[in-house]
Structure formats: structure tokens, C-alpha cells
Amino acid sequence: MPTLFTRIIEGELPARFVWKDERAVAFLTIEPLRPGHTLVVPRQEVDHWLDADGSLRDHLMAVCHAVGRAIERAYRPPKVGLLLAGLEVPHLHVHVFPLYELADIDIAKVDRRPRPEDLDDAAEKIRTALGELGYSAVSR
């Protein structure tokens, strides 16, 4: 049975994509820690990051780097956070988000009811920043 993320990647469920390439996608989470909180997900269903081959891990980190630079440009946070937990969905994914304080890393503090227009705005900011940085895998 396909994971929730596979269903999103295949277009069965909606998402606010900011990146798509042959191996990975990035889309905004519907429960953000901060505006701009993005998930980087491989197209391949891999549950645990330890089970991903080295080239896939390298590619995911390259996408995280691009998305992180875009978040940095769009939001100007002191740092860009990166979190790999994987308990929520059994499909490898990396959280990339603006980081203003250590408390921003607490997944229990996500916004469970963000306004759709705020998510749309965040996706557009990240897409714009990716484009300005010269990335071609920007997804509209």
C-alpha cells in the first residue's frame, strides 16, 4: 500500500510543491513549526534513512541545501533547521524550516491549523527564492 507521501507525490492528495526532480520532491507541511517549513521527500519509498543508498541520501541533502538557501533568502532567519525524525509517516522525509530559537525544533509545537493562504504565501516565497537562486527544479 502506498504511503501518504507517495500518494501526494503521485497527485492523489494535494500539496504545495516547491521542488520536483526525478528523485525527490519538496512541499510545505500542513503542520508547520514556522512559516516556510518544508518537507524534502524521495520519490522512492524508503522508511528509514539508514536504508537509503548513499546516492539517494546525497541527493536529498542537495535538495535540502537548495530549499534551505531559499528559506534563508525568503525569511532571513538566524539559522535554517534540518530535522530527520520519521515517526509520523513511514516514508523518509527531512524537515527544513526557519529556525529562530531552539524551541522551534519541538515537533509537538506545530501549528495544527495554519491558514491556507499563509501556506500558499510561504510556498510562493520559497519558489520565488529558488528561482532567484537559479534552481531549475522549482515546482509551480
Side-chain angles (χ1 to χ4, degrees):
M1 183 161 114
T3 69
L4 173 69
F5 289 158
T6 296
R7 294 180 64 208
I8 289 170
I9 292 166
E10 292 177 353
E12 292 178 33
L13 298 172
R16 290 167 178 87
F17 287 93
V18 298
W19 181 282
K20 287 184 183 179
D21 68 29
E22 69 285 346
R23 299 192 74 192
V25 301
F27 52 86
L28 267 68
T29 179
I30 58 171
E31 294 185 336
L33 288 165
R34 290 279 189 162
H37 183 168
T38 303
L39 303 178
V40 175
V41 183
R43 290 180 179 273
Q44 177 185 357
E45 285 187 1
V46 176
D47 180 10
H48 198 300
W49 69 272
L50 291 173
D51 297 329
D53 68 53
S55 69
L56 179 59
R57 288 191 315 270
D58 290 348
H59 184 73
L60 291 176
M61 285 300 107
V63 175
C64 287
H65 186 267
V67 170
R69 287 287 184 210
I71 288 171
E72 179 181 57
R73 184 179 189 106
Y75 291 95
R76 302 284 185 212
K79 298 282 184 175
V80 174
L82 193 70
L83 178 65
L84 201 122
L87 295 173
E88 319 88 305
V89 177
H91 190 139
L92 171 59
H93 57 286
V94 184
H95 299 257
V96 186
F97 53 95
L99 183 58
Y100 297 91
E101 58 186 310
L102 196 54
D104 290 339
I105 297 174
D106 187 351
I107 293 291
K109 294 181 179 179
V110 297
D111 181 354
R112 299 210 184 274
R113 297 174 57 145
R115 295 176 349 146
E117 56 269 26
D118 291 342
L119 294 173
D120 293 339
D121 181 57
E124 191 52 38
K125 283 181 180 179
I126 293 169
R127 287 185 203 112
T128 298
L130 283 166
E132 290 170 355
L133 292 166
Y135 292 102
S136 61
V138 178
S139 176
R140 297 258 172 225

